[in-house]
Amino acid sequence: MNNLLIVLSGPSGVGKGTIVNQLLSDGGFALSVSCTTRAPRAEEVDGKSYFFITKEEFERKIADGGFLEYSNHFENYYGTPKDFVLKQLENRDVILEIEVDGALQVKKALPQALLIMILPPSEEELKARLLKRGSENDETIAKRISRMQYEISKKDDYDFTVVNDDLEKAVADIKNIIANKKGDIK
């Protein structure tokens, strides 16, 4: 199998979602769908946004080794279902957009996974992006900045880092990393 699991991580506001959407629009990638125990939001679709399962089902999957990674946030579980990802990898490259700790769990479970950290051009630029979104208060932004410092401290555990100071360049850099990696494993 010459397909890659590409794990993208980075601080909140760095542009991960925008980059993933650009990569997906080219049609060569599948996006991993995570499981969660939280209730779906009005616009979310089961099997596309998340696989919405009960806490009991999630804990059963944990016991059975059914996740590449998982975590618990605000009393809800979130995790990457191993079988779903492996099935997707049979047909195409798979993108997984998750936080740093989950990415490192994935790397332990599948050492061949390609970890790419998306970095902001600067802390000041990231703060400006978060403020521009207008969706968070000052306290939340301060927490995200603090989390950013932790996440960036893990960059040496990643295979590559890409600075998102220009969206087109960042997407091109990621595509080049993937193409080079695929060339290595042929």
Side-chain angles (χ1 to χ4, degrees), residues 41-175:
R41 296 182 181 123
E43 72 281 359
E44 292 178 325
V45 178
D46 186 51
K48 184 171 174 151
S49 308
Y50 285 95
F51 294 111
F52 296 97
I53 63 176
T54 66
K55 183 178 179 185
E56 293 74 25
E57 287 175 279
F58 201 104
E59 289 174 343
R60 210 170 18 257
K61 280 186 173 288
I62 291 171
D64 293 341
F67 291 106
L68 291 174
E69 60 82 32
Y70 69 91
S71 61
N72 191 310
H73 297 285
F74 308 110
E75 299 181 27
N76 288 299
Y77 283 112
Y78 295 84
T80 303
K82 186 188 298 183
D83 290 345
F84 179 80
V85 170
L86 295 177
K87 185 73 173 158
Q88 293 293 313
L89 280 170
E90 291 174 8
N91 302 312
R92 58 181 21 173
D93 296 326
V94 176
I95 297 173
L96 180 54
E97 179 191 343
I98 56 174
E99 54 81 39
V100 171
D101 295 328
L104 297 177
Q105 287 180 46
V106 169
K107 190 70 168 182
K108 280 186 181 174
L110 291 175
Q112 69 273 28
L114 176 63
L115 270 58
I116 304 172
M117 181 175 283
I118 312 301
L119 298 171
S122 68
E123 187 174 319
E124 293 72 31
E125 174 64 23
L126 185 67
K127 285 180 186 176
R129 289 179 189 180
L130 290 171
L131 288 168
K132 186 177 177 184
R133 286 201 306 201
S135 59
E136 287 123 354
N137 61 33
D138 290 343
E139 181 182 336
T140 302
I141 290 172
K143 285 180 185 176
R144 293 195 185 279
I145 295 298
S146 175
R147 177 73 184 172
M148 175 198 68
Q149 293 161 343
Y150 166 74
E151 290 173 333
I152 291 174
S153 77
K154 299 294 185 184
K155 72 180 182 200
D156 292 338
D157 295 328
Y158 278 66
D159 299 306
F160 296 92
T161 58
V162 172
V163 175
N164 185 15
D165 54 355
D166 174 271
L167 177 62
E168 287 181 22
K169 183 180 180 320
V171 171
D173 288 348
I174 291 168
K175 286 180 178 179

